[in-house]
Amino acid sequence: MRLKHLISPLDLTVDAVDEIIDLGLKIMKNPHKYAHICEGKKLATLFYEPSTRTRLSFEAAMLNLGGQVLGFSSADASSAAKGESVADTIRVISSYADICAMRHPKEGAPMVASLYSSIPIINAGDGGHNHPTQTLTDLITIKKLMGRLNHITIGLCGDLKFGRTVHSLINALVRYQKVRFVLISPKELTIPDYLRKDVLDAGKVKYTETDDLESYLPELDILYMTRVQRERFFNEEDYIRLKDSFILDAAKMQLAKERMFVMHPLPRVNEIASEVDNDPRAVYFLQAKMGVYVRMALIMHLLTLDTIPIS
Ligand code: NCD
């Protein structure tokens, strides 16, 4: 039985993740070979929360495959503003499109949609919970740059409490051998308890929690910076106090290995100074580009078009 929806990063087996990444890398080399594979197919992008990269990279991915796209980019522009439930919306969209990417501020909304949908649902970010396609983007970038997903020391820095990209990436990376995590955040923004207990401790994964970026920087193969998630805070004062806890600049980069890579799911606010952009170790714009190739591979996988031989 093939997977129908992608709601959590764990919905894909490690083998399936590896296949999608390998297909994404193949597409990157020869994109023209895949330019017609989704002809006649439609992707619906239902975005109830702001997005630039995720929505547009999904749309670019479907257009690159020869398919078409439809959808909305804010809840206000949809019948959600009139009180329609996600369940009703998806029942209808199922007859308009072949596959759907959904972003929603409420944790679990794409999962609910999947219960009522007859087309594959992809979670494009649900509240502070999961963001599995950003994780695929992160994994394909690491694989391309390092040639492996195992034996790495990765520092995750910033808002580890509300950052859904971090939650999904931890869940995905613990399935590879010898991945060590350095979790760098202010005390108020450490990872949720369920990740610490049920994922890291239960899996006997090596990790350190710290608020000291400089001390750990020299050990890292990858530094994954994140934005403090203003929209998930209960009060503005806390956000203002914590928003600039970590700022990566050229001086700090001198502490890092020559082969360390700086990643960021973007958008960035202040957490990476623009002077770092010119450092060859800054790979966040490449990462955003890789998101298109891996989403092309994912769409093919969910529509079971990845079994068609491509010469
Ligand atoms: C992230 C998200 O939406 O969670 N952005 C993205 O999808 N590339 C990270 C963020 O908003 O900080």
Side-chain angles (χ1 to χ4, degrees), residues 47 49-55 103 124-127 130-131 133-134 137 162-166 224-229 231-232 264-269 271 287-288 295:
F47 276 60
E49 221 191 31
S51 167
T52 301
R53 267 148 300 272
T54 305
R55 186 171 63 82
R103 168 170 290 189
D126 62 327
N130 268 317
H131 194 346
T133 65
Q134 181 62 45
T137 302
F162 296 116
R164 57 193 172 195
T165 65
V166 165
Y224 191 98
M225 295 296 293
T226 62
R227 171 180 74 91
V228 175
Q229 308 276 301
E231 65 277 33
R232 317 252 180 254
H264 192 306
L266 303 177
R268 81 172 134 181
V269 186
E271 57 278 2
Q287 189 182 349
R295 288 185 174 95

mmCIF file of all heavy atoms in Angstrom, residues 47 49-55 103 124-127 130-131 133-134 137 162-166 224-229 231-232 264-269 271 287-288 295, ligand 1:
data_model
loop_
_atom_site.group_PDB
_atom_site.id
_atom_site.type_symbol
_atom_site.label_atom_id
_atom_site.label_comp_id
_atom_site.label_asym_id
_atom_site.label_seq_id
_atom_site.Cartn_x
_atom_site.Cartn_y
_atom_site.Cartn_z
ATOM 1 N N PHE A 47 -3.810 27.798 1.802
ATOM 2 C CA PHE A 47 -2.940 28.406 2.818
ATOM 3 C C PHE A 47 -3.744 29.348 3.696
ATOM 4 O O PHE A 47 -4.144 30.424 3.261
ATOM 5 C CB PHE A 47 -1.737 29.094 2.152
ATOM 6 C CG PHE A 47 -0.623 28.123 1.855
ATOM 7 C CD1 PHE A 47 -0.835 27.038 1.011
ATOM 8 C CD2 PHE A 47 0.624 28.253 2.452
ATOM 9 C CE1 PHE A 47 0.172 26.109 0.763
ATOM 10 C CE2 PHE A 47 1.638 27.330 2.208
ATOM 11 C CZ PHE A 47 1.418 26.257 1.364
ATOM 12 N N GLU A 49 -2.512 30.528 6.428
ATOM 13 C CA GLU A 49 -1.494 31.252 7.185
ATOM 14 C C GLU A 49 -0.459 31.766 6.184
ATOM 15 O O GLU A 49 -0.246 31.126 5.157
ATOM 16 C CB GLU A 49 -0.786 30.244 8.110
ATOM 17 C CG GLU A 49 -0.502 30.740 9.471
ATOM 18 C CD GLU A 49 0.423 29.793 10.243
ATOM 19 O OE1 GLU A 49 1.275 29.112 9.663
ATOM 20 O OE2 GLU A 49 0.270 29.777 11.459
ATOM 21 N N PRO A 50 0.228 32.903 6.491
ATOM 22 C CA PRO A 50 1.165 33.455 5.509
ATOM 23 C C PRO A 50 2.284 32.496 5.110
ATOM 24 O O PRO A 50 2.709 31.651 5.897
ATOM 25 C CB PRO A 50 1.765 34.668 6.236
ATOM 26 C CG PRO A 50 0.807 35.011 7.306
ATOM 27 C CD PRO A 50 0.140 33.728 7.703
ATOM 28 N N SER A 51 2.752 32.667 3.887
ATOM 29 C CA SER A 51 3.849 31.843 3.374
ATOM 30 C C SER A 51 4.387 32.503 2.115
ATOM 31 O O SER A 51 3.622 33.113 1.366
ATOM 32 C CB SER A 51 3.317 30.457 3.013
ATOM 33 O OG SER A 51 4.266 29.739 2.259
ATOM 34 N N THR A 52 5.674 32.392 1.899
ATOM 35 C CA THR A 52 6.241 32.800 0.603
ATOM 36 C C THR A 52 6.832 31.558 -0.054
ATOM 37 O O THR A 52 6.343 31.064 -1.063
ATOM 38 C CB THR A 52 7.342 33.876 0.789
ATOM 39 O OG1 THR A 52 6.744 34.988 1.433
ATOM 40 C CG2 THR A 52 7.921 34.315 -0.544
ATOM 41 N N ARG A 53 7.895 31.019 0.571
ATOM 42 C CA ARG A 53 8.611 29.900 -0.015
ATOM 43 C C ARG A 53 7.757 28.642 -0.162
ATOM 44 O O ARG A 53 7.760 27.996 -1.202
ATOM 45 C CB ARG A 53 9.821 29.492 0.845
ATOM 46 C CG ARG A 53 11.098 30.129 0.459
ATOM 47 C CD ARG A 53 11.932 30.314 1.687
ATOM 48 N NE ARG A 53 11.205 31.165 2.597
ATOM 49 C CZ ARG A 53 11.280 32.485 2.582
ATOM 50 N NH1 ARG A 53 12.074 33.077 1.756
ATOM 51 N NH2 ARG A 53 10.568 33.229 3.399
ATOM 52 N N THR A 54 7.074 28.268 0.896
ATOM 53 C CA THR A 54 6.416 26.964 0.857
ATOM 54 C C THR A 54 5.349 26.952 -0.240
ATOM 55 O O THR A 54 5.311 26.062 -1.088
ATOM 56 C CB THR A 54 5.819 26.618 2.227
ATOM 57 O OG1 THR A 54 6.854 26.716 3.193
ATOM 58 C CG2 THR A 54 5.247 25.213 2.244
ATOM 59 N N ARG A 55 4.501 27.986 -0.251
ATOM 60 C CA ARG A 55 3.417 27.980 -1.242
ATOM 61 C C ARG A 55 3.982 28.114 -2.656
ATOM 62 O O ARG A 55 3.633 27.352 -3.556
ATOM 63 C CB ARG A 55 2.420 29.106 -0.957
ATOM 64 C CG ARG A 55 1.198 29.055 -1.868
ATOM 65 C CD ARG A 55 0.142 30.047 -1.430
ATOM 66 N NE ARG A 55 0.586 31.411 -1.504
ATOM 67 C CZ ARG A 55 0.590 32.165 -2.622
ATOM 68 N NH1 ARG A 55 0.153 31.657 -3.761
ATOM 69 N NH2 ARG A 55 1.011 33.407 -2.599
ATOM 70 N N ARG A 103 -1.647 24.663 4.581
ATOM 71 C CA ARG A 103 -1.011 25.267 5.764
ATOM 72 C C ARG A 103 -2.111 25.859 6.623
ATOM 73 O O ARG A 103 -3.038 26.504 6.105
ATOM 74 C CB ARG A 103 -0.019 26.349 5.356
ATOM 75 C CG ARG A 103 0.430 27.174 6.542
ATOM 76 C CD ARG A 103 1.573 28.075 6.216
ATOM 77 N NE ARG A 103 2.798 27.316 5.995
ATOM 78 C CZ ARG A 103 4.004 27.879 5.863
ATOM 79 N NH1 ARG A 103 4.132 29.186 5.935
ATOM 80 N NH2 ARG A 103 5.072 27.144 5.668
ATOM 81 N N ALA A 124 1.581 21.485 4.926
ATOM 82 C CA ALA A 124 2.589 22.508 4.582
ATOM 83 C C ALA A 124 2.864 23.397 5.793
ATOM 84 O O ALA A 124 3.299 24.538 5.644
ATOM 85 C CB ALA A 124 2.082 23.313 3.398
ATOM 86 N N GLY A 125 2.637 22.844 6.993
ATOM 87 C CA GLY A 125 2.875 23.574 8.246
ATOM 88 C C GLY A 125 1.579 23.691 9.021
ATOM 89 O O GLY A 125 0.628 24.297 8.535
ATOM 90 N N ASP A 126 1.531 23.063 10.227
ATOM 91 C CA ASP A 126 0.331 23.199 11.077
ATOM 92 C C ASP A 126 0.746 23.785 12.429
ATOM 93 O O ASP A 126 1.330 23.109 13.268
ATOM 94 C CB ASP A 126 -0.437 21.871 11.214
ATOM 95 C CG ASP A 126 0.336 20.743 11.867
ATOM 96 O OD1 ASP A 126 1.578 20.669 11.693
ATOM 97 O OD2 ASP A 126 -0.293 19.936 12.581
ATOM 98 N N GLY A 127 0.430 25.061 12.617
ATOM 99 C CA GLY A 127 0.752 25.754 13.864
ATOM 100 C C GLY A 127 2.201 25.550 14.243
ATOM 101 O O GLY A 127 3.093 25.568 13.398
ATOM 102 N N ASN A 130 4.195 20.643 13.058
ATOM 103 C CA ASN A 130 5.040 19.954 12.082
ATOM 104 C C ASN A 130 5.140 20.712 10.762
ATOM 105 O O ASN A 130 4.247 21.504 10.423
ATOM 106 C CB ASN A 130 4.466 18.565 11.778
ATOM 107 C CG ASN A 130 5.054 17.494 12.664
ATOM 108 O OD1 ASN A 130 6.272 17.484 12.901
ATOM 109 N ND2 ASN A 130 4.232 16.597 13.153
ATOM 110 N N HIS A 131 6.189 20.403 10.032
ATOM 111 C CA HIS A 131 6.376 21.002 8.701
ATOM 112 C C HIS A 131 7.198 20.009 7.878
ATOM 113 O O HIS A 131 8.368 20.244 7.553
ATOM 114 C CB HIS A 131 7.106 22.347 8.857
ATOM 115 C CG HIS A 131 7.075 23.224 7.650
ATOM 116 N ND1 HIS A 131 6.707 22.776 6.393
ATOM 117 C CD2 HIS A 131 7.383 24.547 7.498
ATOM 118 C CE1 HIS A 131 6.790 23.793 5.540
ATOM 119 N NE2 HIS A 131 7.195 24.867 6.191
ATOM 120 N N THR A 133 7.432 19.038 4.794
ATOM 121 C CA THR A 133 8.089 19.305 3.502
ATOM 122 C C THR A 133 9.287 20.240 3.671
ATOM 123 O O THR A 133 10.204 20.221 2.853
ATOM 124 C CB THR A 133 7.127 19.856 2.416
ATOM 125 O OG1 THR A 133 6.638 21.145 2.797
ATOM 126 C CG2 THR A 133 5.976 18.910 2.189
ATOM 127 N N GLN A 134 9.280 21.052 4.733
ATOM 128 C CA GLN A 134 10.509 21.812 5.023
ATOM 129 C C GLN A 134 11.602 20.821 5.426
ATOM 130 O O GLN A 134 12.765 20.964 5.062
ATOM 131 C CB GLN A 134 10.269 22.848 6.129
ATOM 132 C CG GLN A 134 11.512 23.676 6.459
ATOM 133 C CD GLN A 134 12.011 24.512 5.290
ATOM 134 O OE1 GLN A 134 11.229 25.149 4.603
ATOM 135 N NE2 GLN A 134 13.318 24.497 5.036
ATOM 136 N N THR A 137 13.100 19.352 2.483
ATOM 137 C CA THR A 137 13.982 20.376 1.911
ATOM 138 C C THR A 137 15.315 20.405 2.663
ATOM 139 O O THR A 137 16.390 20.469 2.057
ATOM 140 C CB THR A 137 13.283 21.754 2.012
ATOM 141 O OG1 THR A 137 12.044 21.673 1.311
ATOM 142 C CG2 THR A 137 14.130 22.872 1.458
ATOM 143 N N PHE A 162 8.523 26.837 19.615
ATOM 144 C CA PHE A 162 7.419 27.021 18.665
ATOM 145 C C PHE A 162 7.812 26.687 17.228
ATOM 146 O O PHE A 162 6.950 26.647 16.353
ATOM 147 C CB PHE A 162 6.937 28.477 18.707
ATOM 148 C CG PHE A 162 6.353 28.891 20.036
ATOM 149 C CD1 PHE A 162 6.950 29.885 20.811
ATOM 150 C CD2 PHE A 162 5.197 28.296 20.515
ATOM 151 C CE1 PHE A 162 6.406 30.285 22.022
ATOM 152 C CE2 PHE A 162 4.641 28.683 21.727
ATOM 153 C CZ PHE A 162 5.248 29.678 22.491
ATOM 154 N N GLY A 163 9.083 26.486 16.971
ATOM 155 C CA GLY A 163 9.535 26.286 15.583
ATOM 156 C C GLY A 163 9.189 24.901 15.065
ATOM 157 O O GLY A 163 9.832 23.909 15.387
ATOM 158 N N ARG A 164 8.190 24.847 14.187
ATOM 159 C CA ARG A 164 7.737 23.533 13.684
ATOM 160 C C ARG A 164 8.779 22.892 12.783
ATOM 161 O O ARG A 164 8.851 21.673 12.677
ATOM 162 C CB ARG A 164 6.404 23.697 12.951
ATOM 163 C CG ARG A 164 6.451 24.701 11.800
ATOM 164 C CD ARG A 164 5.050 25.054 11.334
ATOM 165 N NE ARG A 164 5.062 26.141 10.367
ATOM 166 C CZ ARG A 164 3.987 26.831 10.023
ATOM 167 N NH1 ARG A 164 2.824 26.556 10.569
ATOM 168 N NH2 ARG A 164 4.046 27.793 9.135
ATOM 169 N N THR A 165 9.623 23.715 12.133
ATOM 170 C CA THR A 165 10.645 23.119 11.253
ATOM 171 C C THR A 165 11.632 22.302 12.087
ATOM 172 O O THR A 165 12.081 21.245 11.671
ATOM 173 C CB THR A 165 11.400 24.193 10.444
ATOM 174 O OG1 THR A 165 12.131 25.018 11.339
ATOM 175 C CG2 THR A 165 10.464 25.039 9.614
ATOM 176 N N VAL A 166 11.929 22.821 13.284
ATOM 177 C CA VAL A 166 12.860 22.137 14.187
ATOM 178 C C VAL A 166 12.244 20.820 14.678
ATOM 179 O O VAL A 166 12.913 19.779 14.717
ATOM 180 C CB VAL A 166 13.183 23.064 15.383
ATOM 181 C CG1 VAL A 166 13.833 22.305 16.518
ATOM 182 C CG2 VAL A 166 14.053 24.221 14.924
ATOM 183 N N TYR A 224 21.675 25.197 12.175
ATOM 184 C CA TYR A 224 20.332 25.459 11.642
ATOM 185 C C TYR A 224 19.721 26.580 12.467
ATOM 186 O O TYR A 224 19.312 26.371 13.612
ATOM 187 C CB TYR A 224 19.514 24.161 11.737
ATOM 188 C CG TYR A 224 18.191 24.156 10.999
ATOM 189 C CD1 TYR A 224 18.092 23.587 9.728
ATOM 190 C CD2 TYR A 224 17.040 24.670 11.568
ATOM 191 C CE1 TYR A 224 16.885 23.546 9.046
ATOM 192 C CE2 TYR A 224 15.823 24.641 10.888
ATOM 193 C CZ TYR A 224 15.761 24.080 9.640
ATOM 194 O OH TYR A 224 14.550 24.036 8.962
ATOM 195 N N MET A 225 19.743 27.796 11.918
ATOM 196 C CA MET A 225 19.219 28.958 12.637
ATOM 197 C C MET A 225 17.701 29.053 12.411
ATOM 198 O O MET A 225 17.209 28.678 11.340
ATOM 199 C CB MET A 225 19.874 30.243 12.120
ATOM 200 C CG MET A 225 21.360 30.362 12.373
ATOM 201 S SD MET A 225 21.802 30.446 14.120
ATOM 202 C CE MET A 225 21.116 32.028 14.630
ATOM 203 N N THR A 226 16.993 29.589 13.397
ATOM 204 C CA THR A 226 15.546 29.775 13.220
ATOM 205 C C THR A 226 15.105 31.125 13.774
ATOM 206 O O THR A 226 15.748 31.703 14.647
ATOM 207 C CB THR A 226 14.720 28.681 13.939
ATOM 208 O OG1 THR A 226 14.974 28.768 15.344
ATOM 209 C CG2 THR A 226 15.050 27.295 13.440
ATOM 210 N N ARG A 227 13.990 31.557 13.258
ATOM 211 C CA ARG A 227 13.351 32.820 13.653
ATOM 212 C C ARG A 227 12.555 32.611 14.945
ATOM 213 O O ARG A 227 11.930 31.561 15.111
ATOM 214 C CB ARG A 227 12.398 33.185 12.504
ATOM 215 C CG ARG A 227 11.456 34.314 12.710
ATOM 216 C CD ARG A 227 10.599 34.507 11.438
ATOM 217 N NE ARG A 227 9.585 33.472 11.284
ATOM 218 C CZ ARG A 227 8.344 33.550 11.757
ATOM 219 N NH1 ARG A 227 7.950 34.607 12.422
ATOM 220 N NH2 ARG A 227 7.480 32.570 11.565
ATOM 221 N N VAL A 228 12.562 33.604 15.832
ATOM 222 C CA VAL A 228 11.664 33.531 16.993
ATOM 223 C C VAL A 228 10.241 33.776 16.463
ATOM 224 O O VAL A 228 9.986 34.752 15.761
ATOM 225 C CB VAL A 228 12.080 34.546 18.086
ATOM 226 C CG1 VAL A 228 11.072 34.560 19.223
ATOM 227 C CG2 VAL A 228 13.471 34.191 18.610
ATOM 228 N N GLN A 229 9.340 32.826 16.757
ATOM 229 C CA GLN A 229 8.027 32.763 16.099
ATOM 230 C C GLN A 229 7.024 33.710 16.759
ATOM 231 O O GLN A 229 6.175 33.282 17.559
ATOM 232 C CB GLN A 229 7.506 31.318 16.126
ATOM 233 C CG GLN A 229 8.492 30.294 15.583
ATOM 234 C CD GLN A 229 8.438 30.174 14.076
ATOM 235 O OE1 GLN A 229 7.396 29.857 13.502
ATOM 236 N NE2 GLN A 229 9.559 30.434 13.415
ATOM 237 N N GLU A 231 4.291 35.060 16.020
ATOM 238 C CA GLU A 231 2.844 34.803 15.944
ATOM 239 C C GLU A 231 2.363 33.743 16.931
ATOM 240 O O GLU A 231 1.173 33.557 17.117
ATOM 241 C CB GLU A 231 2.441 34.441 14.507
ATOM 242 C CG GLU A 231 3.011 33.141 13.931
ATOM 243 C CD GLU A 231 4.428 33.258 13.349
ATOM 244 O OE1 GLU A 231 5.241 34.060 13.853
ATOM 245 O OE2 GLU A 231 4.723 32.495 12.404
ATOM 246 N N ARG A 232 3.303 33.020 17.565
ATOM 247 C CA ARG A 232 2.880 31.974 18.518
ATOM 248 C C ARG A 232 3.025 32.425 19.973
ATOM 249 O O ARG A 232 2.745 31.662 20.895
ATOM 250 C CB ARG A 232 3.693 30.696 18.319
ATOM 251 C CG ARG A 232 3.914 30.301 16.872
ATOM 252 C CD ARG A 232 3.121 29.086 16.438
ATOM 253 N NE ARG A 232 3.415 28.796 15.043
ATOM 254 C CZ ARG A 232 2.598 29.035 14.016
ATOM 255 N NH1 ARG A 232 1.386 29.509 14.223
ATOM 256 N NH2 ARG A 232 2.962 28.761 12.783
ATOM 257 N N HIS A 264 18.828 27.797 7.263
ATOM 258 C CA HIS A 264 17.723 28.551 7.871
ATOM 259 C C HIS A 264 16.501 28.291 6.994
ATOM 260 O O HIS A 264 16.603 28.412 5.764
ATOM 261 C CB HIS A 264 18.068 30.048 7.902
ATOM 262 C CG HIS A 264 17.144 30.882 8.748
ATOM 263 N ND1 HIS A 264 15.773 30.882 8.580
ATOM 264 C CD2 HIS A 264 17.398 31.737 9.769
ATOM 265 C CE1 HIS A 264 15.228 31.711 9.474
ATOM 266 N NE2 HIS A 264 16.190 32.237 10.210
ATOM 267 N N PRO A 265 15.357 27.957 7.582
ATOM 268 C CA PRO A 265 14.193 27.697 6.721
ATOM 269 C C PRO A 265 13.683 28.974 6.052
ATOM 270 O O PRO A 265 12.937 28.901 5.074
ATOM 271 C CB PRO A 265 13.152 27.113 7.678
ATOM 272 C CG PRO A 265 13.548 27.608 9.034
ATOM 273 C CD PRO A 265 15.047 27.733 9.002
ATOM 274 N N LEU A 266 14.069 30.135 6.605
ATOM 275 C CA LEU A 266 13.603 31.449 6.144
ATOM 276 C C LEU A 266 12.083 31.567 6.385
ATOM 277 O O LEU A 266 11.419 30.534 6.388
ATOM 278 C CB LEU A 266 13.950 31.697 4.671
ATOM 279 C CG LEU A 266 15.450 31.603 4.317
ATOM 280 C CD1 LEU A 266 15.632 31.803 2.803
ATOM 281 C CD2 LEU A 266 16.267 32.650 5.083
ATOM 282 N N PRO A 267 11.520 32.706 6.606
ATOM 283 C CA PRO A 267 12.148 34.016 6.555
ATOM 284 C C PRO A 267 13.033 34.295 7.770
ATOM 285 O O PRO A 267 12.728 33.840 8.871
ATOM 286 C CB PRO A 267 10.945 34.969 6.554
ATOM 287 C CG PRO A 267 9.884 34.233 7.321
ATOM 288 C CD PRO A 267 10.092 32.787 6.980
ATOM 289 N N ARG A 268 14.115 35.040 7.543
ATOM 290 C CA ARG A 268 14.941 35.450 8.689
ATOM 291 C C ARG A 268 14.502 36.849 9.113
ATOM 292 O O ARG A 268 14.006 37.622 8.278
ATOM 293 C CB ARG A 268 16.414 35.443 8.332
ATOM 294 C CG ARG A 268 16.832 36.679 7.589
ATOM 295 C CD ARG A 268 18.308 36.793 7.392
ATOM 296 N NE ARG A 268 18.548 37.160 5.999
ATOM 297 C CZ ARG A 268 19.734 37.325 5.477
ATOM 298 N NH1 ARG A 268 20.811 37.124 6.200
ATOM 299 N NH2 ARG A 268 19.878 37.651 4.219
ATOM 300 N N VAL A 269 14.737 37.152 10.359
ATOM 301 C CA VAL A 269 14.469 38.517 10.827
ATOM 302 C C VAL A 269 15.840 39.119 11.153
ATOM 303 O O VAL A 269 16.502 39.644 10.265
ATOM 304 C CB VAL A 269 13.463 38.530 11.998
ATOM 305 C CG1 VAL A 269 13.102 39.956 12.362
ATOM 306 C CG2 VAL A 269 12.196 37.768 11.605
ATOM 307 N N GLU A 271 18.246 37.157 13.010
ATOM 308 C CA GLU A 271 19.110 36.114 13.585
ATOM 309 C C GLU A 271 20.342 35.766 12.750
ATOM 310 O O GLU A 271 21.258 35.112 13.262
ATOM 311 C CB GLU A 271 18.286 34.866 13.944
ATOM 312 C CG GLU A 271 17.503 34.235 12.813
ATOM 313 C CD GLU A 271 16.174 34.918 12.523
ATOM 314 O OE1 GLU A 271 15.849 35.919 13.183
ATOM 315 O OE2 GLU A 271 15.481 34.465 11.602
ATOM 316 N N GLN A 287 19.198 26.190 -0.048
ATOM 317 C CA GLN A 287 18.190 25.365 0.650
ATOM 318 C C GLN A 287 16.780 25.676 0.104
ATOM 319 O O GLN A 287 16.008 24.761 -0.206
ATOM 320 C CB GLN A 287 18.285 25.718 2.126
ATOM 321 C CG GLN A 287 17.514 24.889 3.109
ATOM 322 C CD GLN A 287 17.714 25.459 4.533
ATOM 323 O OE1 GLN A 287 18.562 26.322 4.774
ATOM 324 N NE2 GLN A 287 16.914 24.981 5.463
ATOM 325 N N ALA A 288 16.468 26.964 -0.036
ATOM 326 C CA ALA A 288 15.142 27.350 -0.557
ATOM 327 C C ALA A 288 14.961 26.830 -1.991
ATOM 328 O O ALA A 288 13.865 26.397 -2.372
ATOM 329 C CB ALA A 288 14.988 28.865 -0.520
ATOM 330 N N ARG A 295 10.009 18.975 -3.622
ATOM 331 C CA ARG A 295 8.533 18.977 -3.700
ATOM 332 C C ARG A 295 8.075 18.372 -5.028
ATOM 333 O O ARG A 295 7.035 17.732 -5.092
ATOM 334 C CB ARG A 295 7.982 20.385 -3.480
ATOM 335 C CG ARG A 295 8.116 20.802 -2.017
ATOM 336 C CD ARG A 295 7.484 22.145 -1.697
ATOM 337 N NE ARG A 295 7.531 22.395 -0.268
ATOM 338 C CZ ARG A 295 8.492 23.094 0.365
ATOM 339 N NH1 ARG A 295 9.486 23.624 -0.315
ATOM 340 N NH2 ARG A 295 8.446 23.240 1.683
HETATM 341 C C1 NCD B 1 9.050 28.253 8.283
HETATM 342 C C2 NCD B 1 7.618 27.979 8.725
HETATM 343 O O1 NCD B 1 6.668 28.447 8.079
HETATM 344 O O2 NCD B 1 7.489 27.291 9.713
HETATM 345 N N1 NCD B 1 9.140 28.841 7.016
HETATM 346 C C3 NCD B 1 9.086 28.058 5.896
HETATM 347 O O3 NCD B 1 8.161 27.317 5.669
HETATM 348 N N2 NCD B 1 10.138 28.117 5.071
HETATM 349 C C4 NCD B 1 9.850 28.956 9.313
HETATM 350 C C5 NCD B 1 9.345 30.242 9.885
HETATM 351 O O4 NCD B 1 8.275 30.739 9.538
HETATM 352 O O5 NCD B 1 10.075 30.785 10.713
#
